[in-house]
Amino acid sequence: MEISLHEKRILVTREEKQGKQFAAKIRHYDGHPIEVPLLQISCKDLQEHYTFFQQLTNYQWIFFTSANGVRCFFQLAKRYNIDTKVLKLLNIAAVGHKTEEALKDEGFSAAFIPSVYNAEVMAKEFFHVYHDISPVLIVRGSKSLDILPAAFEERSIKYDAMEVYETTSRVDMKTRLNKTLKTGKIDFITFTSPSSVETFHSLADVEINVPIVCIGTTTEKKAKQLGFHSILVPEEFTVDGMIHCLGKYLLKKELNNNG
């Protein structure tokens, strides 16, 4: 199916660098992106990180829960002069194919990827196949949910959590966000994480009456908790999936209007 966004004005709330990539895709499909980055991603450098790198061979599995986690993990490894070839001896799990793509950029691949790209499905499907996997290293961010740690604790699996990046709200975007919303010229709002929904909700002073597009069910859940309605969720939990979902929604709406 040929996708077109019909020059709809789509608010992109994603972190600035990734938001620009998202915006480029929207333009490619004839949409009009409006970028208001509501989050900032910063790699963290803590003394405990060096300890994790020193004991990598103690782990049977490493779980990467985002592409940001992969990038910051390898950035830290380079800073500490760690020979990452040791990872070839370990098993790697990635939450989705974008996370695996980040791994492949570093020369590695995942032994396990869930069929649905979220932590709940990741845990369920992983334990359906693997059992004696202790100990595990989870590479994550400051806003990561505790779904995987809870799943490991429930099964008495030893794990460590390595927090390699910080997600912070761009409160400096409040004026820009509300000025954009007050124009009344936004057709859709996109959210690629629960954090982006929370930040939008805390900064927006304007009532929202347009559909929102959430990258997956975890983000959708947060949006519903905060009172959002008319929520679109793609079948594939990626930015490309969001664009495809939007295209299908617009096509269906056009057919209904013409029918």
Side-chain angles (χ1 to χ4, degrees):
M1 181 181 70
E2 189 66 28
I3 293 295
S4 174
L5 299 179
H6 300 287
E7 299 186 358
K8 295 299 183 183
R9 297 169 65 88
I10 300 166
L11 184 64
V12 177
T13 61
R14 201 171 202 189
E15 177 270 333
E16 191 165 1
K17 183 178 178 182
Q18 293 173 317
K20 289 190 179 303
Q21 296 168 350
F22 192 1
K25 288 178 182 287
I26 290 171
R27 278 189 289 270
H28 177 76
Y29 290 101
D30 303 319
H32 181 70
I34 300 165
E35 299 172 59
V36 183
L38 297 185
L39 300 177
Q40 182 168 312
I41 306 294
S42 307
C43 293
K44 298 175 70 173
D45 186 358
L46 304 175
Q47 189 169 354
E48 65 187 53
H49 289 154
Y50 184 72
T51 303
F52 285 125
F53 282 119
Q54 289 297 303
Q55 59 189 31
L56 280 178
T57 53
N58 292 343
Y59 299 105
Q60 286 197 35
W61 282 85
I62 297 183
F63 276 66
F64 287 97
T65 59
S66 70
N68 287 322
V70 173
R71 283 189 282 269
C72 289
F73 178 89
F74 283 93
Q75 182 177 309
L76 285 168
K78 185 176 182 180
R79 186 176 300 168
Y80 294 141
N81 295 313
I82 301 297
D83 184 359
T84 54
K85 288 189 180 118
V86 68
L87 293 179
K88 299 284 187 184
L89 304 174
L90 312 178
N91 298 297
I92 300 176
V95 74
H97 82 254
K98 289 297 182 183
T99 304
E100 189 188 30
E101 281 180 17
L103 280 167
K104 286 181 176 178
D105 288 342
E106 302 292 344
F108 297 89
S109 60
F112 175 82
I113 302 175
S115 62
V116 177
Y117 305 155
N118 66 33
E120 289 175 319
V121 176
M122 189 179 197
K124 181 180 178 180
E125 293 185 350
F126 183 86
F127 290 117
H128 184 71
V129 179
Y130 301 98
H131 304 286
D132 186 17
I133 64 158
S134 189
V136 173
L137 178 64
I138 308 173
V139 179
R140 52 189 266 150
S142 61
K143 298 282 189 179
S144 296
L145 301 177
D146 288 329
I147 294 168
L148 282 176
F152 291 142
E153 288 171 8
E154 185 181 333
R155 293 165 176 81
S156 300
I157 292 170
K158 294 179 181 178
Y159 73 91
D160 288 316
M162 184 178 181
E163 198 171 284
V164 296
Y165 67 94
E166 185 90 33
T167 302
T168 52
S169 298
R170 292 283 305 272
V171 293
D172 59 308
M173 287 288 149
K174 182 179 176 72
T175 300
R176 180 168 156 188
L177 173 64
N178 285 292
K179 185 177 179 181
T180 300
L181 295 175
K182 284 172 184 175
T183 65
K185 294 180 180 179
I186 299 295
D187 297 301
F188 297 94
I189 300 170
T190 61
F191 296 115
T192 54
S193 68
S195 300
S196 61
V197 181
E198 289 177 323
T199 300
F200 181 95
H201 185 261
S202 67
L203 298 181
D205 295 330
V206 181
E207 188 174 345
I208 307 306
N209 294 309
V210 300
I212 69 170
V213 191
C214 293
I215 198 168
T217 49
T218 305
T219 304
E220 177 193 26
K221 182 178 179 181
K222 178 55 67 175
K224 285 181 176 179
Q225 287 174 352
L226 294 176
F228 287 90
H229 304 286
S230 189
I231 304 172
L232 305 176
V233 182
E235 293 178 13
E236 181 185 86
F237 298 169
T238 63
V239 164
D240 290 323
M242 293 172 78
I243 290 174
H244 189 78
C245 177
L246 258 176
K248 286 175 65 177
Y249 174 85
L250 290 169
L251 179 61
K252 184 177 179 181
K253 193 171 181 181
E254 182 182 7
L255 291 174
N256 287 340
N257 290 339
N258 293 336

